[in-house]
């Protein structure tokens, strides 16, 4: 499942924003340690949520690549973060539950993961502009 999270994130960033992950021996150059957290709940054959945390530099670059000139427009950057959270979640679910499973996604909420609950899977994807961290939860 960790690989599914990683691959869904990489393909989303490559296809929608033309950002490519760093190689294993490369280090990100991001200096801003501000994060935007997107929590997307899913309901259907199974229930749970995916929390995607974007380091500010990577989400700002994605917004610029997707929408052109966003400048410092925080609302547009949040819209892009929410949309990316939805797309990544939608791409992960078939990997985890199969192509025949049907799900509905709630509107993204901008909140961190509950650190008291252990995710079923987690991963981190490094880009030059910053990191994206993912935590996948399945309701028990």
């Amino acid at each position: 499942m960790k690989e599914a999270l990683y691959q869904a994130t990489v393909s989303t960033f490559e296809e929608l924003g033309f950002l490519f992950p760093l190689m294993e021996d490369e280090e990100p150059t991001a200096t801003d340690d501000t994060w935007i957290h997107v929590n997307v709940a899913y309901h259907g054959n199974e229930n749970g949520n995916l929390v995607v945390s974007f380091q500010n530099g990577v989400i700002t670059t994605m917004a610029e690549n997707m929408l052109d000139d966003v400048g410092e427009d925080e609302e547009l950057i949040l819209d892009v973060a929410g949309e990316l959270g939805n797309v990544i979640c939608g791409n992960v679910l078939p990997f985890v539950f199969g192509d025949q499973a049907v799900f509905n996604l709630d509107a993204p909420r901008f909140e961190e993961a509950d650190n008291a609950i252990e995710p079923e899977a987690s991963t981190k994807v490094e880009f030059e502009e910053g990191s994206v961290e993912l935590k996948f939860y399945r309701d028990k």
Side-chain angles (χ1 to χ4, degrees), residues 10-132:
V10 168
S11 65
T12 299
F13 272 70
E14 289 177 351
E15 292 170 16
L16 296 180
F18 307 106
L19 285 183
F20 300 91
L22 294 174
M23 303 303 274
E24 287 185 26
D25 60 339
E26 296 179 301
E27 291 289 325
T29 59
T31 57
D32 185 352
D33 204 27
T34 306
W35 293 80
I36 294 174
H37 308 279
V38 178
N39 190 328
V40 179
Y42 61 88
H43 309 281
N45 292 22
E46 300 261 355
N47 300 315
N49 63 299
L50 174 69
V51 178
V52 184
S53 300
F54 303 96
Q55 201 167 14
N56 191 53
V58 75
I59 195 60
T60 301
T61 301
M62 278 296 287
E64 289 283 340
N65 290 355
M66 292 172 67
L67 301 174
D68 197 24
D69 185 25
V70 297
E72 297 291 319
D73 191 333
E74 189 173 318
E75 187 174 326
L76 279 177
I77 292 169
L78 288 175
D79 285 347
V80 168
E83 183 60 25
L84 289 172
N86 280 339
V87 171
I88 293 168
C89 188
N91 288 335
V92 165
L93 294 174
F95 278 115
V96 176
F97 300 111
D99 291 337
Q100 301 304 313
V102 177
F103 293 95
N104 292 313
L105 303 180
D106 288 352
R109 299 180 320 258
F110 295 96
E111 60 188 30
E112 292 185 58
D114 181 352
N115 289 328
I117 301 171
E118 187 70 27
E120 187 165 323
S122 63
T123 194
K124 184 178 195 177
V125 183
E126 299 279 3
F127 298 90
E128 184 176 332
E129 299 81 2
S131 301
V132 178

